[in-house]
């Protein structure tokens, strides 16, 4: 479903005062194959490039070197972007950053909010996952979806992800820094 060949990525930033361009190589010669229906965890400390890698899997970022293929489609070919993003849905760390039009959240939360009850972080994250699943993706990329949750919310979200992988045969790529979450995957 996803393949990288010698993937490299460099963040480039211009210093506003000097005009000098600073480069930081974040990924270097990454080669990965992720099979259909698998559950793969990408584990690493903060700043190790996990999120940068995940953003290559649905063409949010494009390689500085090497190639990324999603279902055989080259992410660097702009003609493939729509089909790649339809195939590979992404859920980010903070669900509030993902809500474009909060209609589902508004509808679900209307009555409880009138009673002074808010959606929990775990509930919001499941709404974010549901909004991505509405696209019916074959691949679900989750970038630290439990980082802002308490242990109960983390457990609920991981249980949902495992169910989607096992029962719906959705290919899952989970970016995490929690060892117990990575242990749930087929491959780390």
């Amino acid at each position: 479903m996803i393949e990288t060949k010698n993937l490299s990525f460099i963040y480039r930033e211009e210093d506003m005062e000097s005009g000098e361009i600073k480069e930081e190589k974040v990924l270097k010669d990454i080669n990965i194959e992720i099979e259909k229906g698998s559950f793969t965890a990408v584990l690493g400390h903060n700043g190790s490039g996990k999120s940068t890698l995940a953003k290559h899997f649905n063409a949010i970022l494009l390689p500085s070197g090497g190639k990324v293929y999603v279902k055989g489609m080259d992410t660097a070919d702009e003609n493939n972007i729509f089909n790649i993003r339809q195939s590979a849905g992404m859920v980010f760390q903070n669900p509030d950053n993902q809500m474009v039009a909060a209609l589902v959240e508004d509808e679900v939360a209307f009555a409880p909010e009138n009673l002074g009850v808010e959606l929990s972080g775990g509930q919001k994250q499941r709404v974010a996952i549901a909004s991505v699943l509405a696209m019916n993706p074959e691949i679900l990329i989750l970038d630290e979806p439990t980082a802002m949750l308490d242990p109960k919310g983390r457990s609920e979200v991981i249980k949902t992800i495992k169910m989607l992988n096992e029962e719906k045969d959705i290919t899952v790529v989970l970016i995490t820094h929690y060892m117990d979450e990575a242990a749930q995957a087929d491959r780390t």
Side-chain angles (χ1 to χ4, degrees):
M1 293 299 275
I2 299 173
E3 181 180 12
T4 68
K5 292 186 177 180
N6 300 317
L7 169 63
S8 296
F9 185 76
I10 300 170
Y11 281 107
R12 290 182 174 87
E13 185 179 347
E14 183 177 348
D15 185 292
M16 298 307 282
E17 291 179 21
S18 68
E20 190 178 316
I21 304 235
K22 296 178 183 178
E23 293 188 347
E24 181 182 2
K25 193 166 203 171
V26 180
L27 303 176
K28 181 181 178 187
D29 298 324
I30 306 292
N31 293 289
I32 296 176
E33 290 183 15
I34 297 175
E35 302 296 324
K36 179 175 177 39
S38 66
F39 182 168
T40 303
V42 178
L43 187 65
H45 60 81
N46 288 340
S48 63
K50 302 181 306 289
S51 295
T52 299
L53 179 63
K55 289 175 183 174
H56 279 82
F57 294 165
N58 75 342
I60 291 174
L61 294 177
L62 300 176
S64 299
K67 290 286 184 184
V68 177
Y69 299 96
V70 176
K71 293 179 59 184
M73 295 177 283
D74 185 345
T75 61
D77 182 344
E78 65 182 46
N79 295 322
N80 292 332
I81 300 295
F82 179 79
N83 289 330
I84 287 169
R85 290 193 181 150
Q86 262 195 323
S87 297
M90 187 146 178
V91 176
F92 295 94
Q93 185 178 91
N94 185 346
D96 289 329
N97 294 344
Q98 196 152 349
M99 302 288 179
V100 178
L103 294 178
V104 171
E105 183 178 11
D106 289 347
E107 288 299 320
V108 171
F110 181 75
E113 281 182 358
N114 284 331
L115 298 173
V117 177
E118 299 290 338
L119 288 178
S120 71
Q123 290 167 328
K124 284 183 179 182
Q125 194 59 284
R126 285 195 298 279
V127 170
I129 292 169
S131 69
V132 169
L133 290 175
M135 298 180 340
N136 200 27
E138 296 176 68
I139 305 165
L140 184 59
I141 303 160
L142 300 121
D143 187 6
E144 300 199 41
T146 65
M148 300 178 67
L149 305 180
D150 63 15
K152 183 176 188 287
R154 282 180 51 214
S155 174
E156 291 170 354
V157 168
I158 293 300
K159 188 185 301 183
T160 301
I161 293 165
K162 281 199 64 81
M163 181 274 299
L164 292 168
N165 172 248
E166 293 169 359
E167 295 179 19
K168 305 284 188 190
D169 200 33
I170 293 176
T171 303
V172 173
V173 178
L174 173 65
I175 307 299
T176 185
H177 62 266
Y178 293 114
M179 286 296 269
D180 59 323
E181 291 180 5
Q184 303 289 318
D186 304 327
R187 181 174 168 213
T188 303

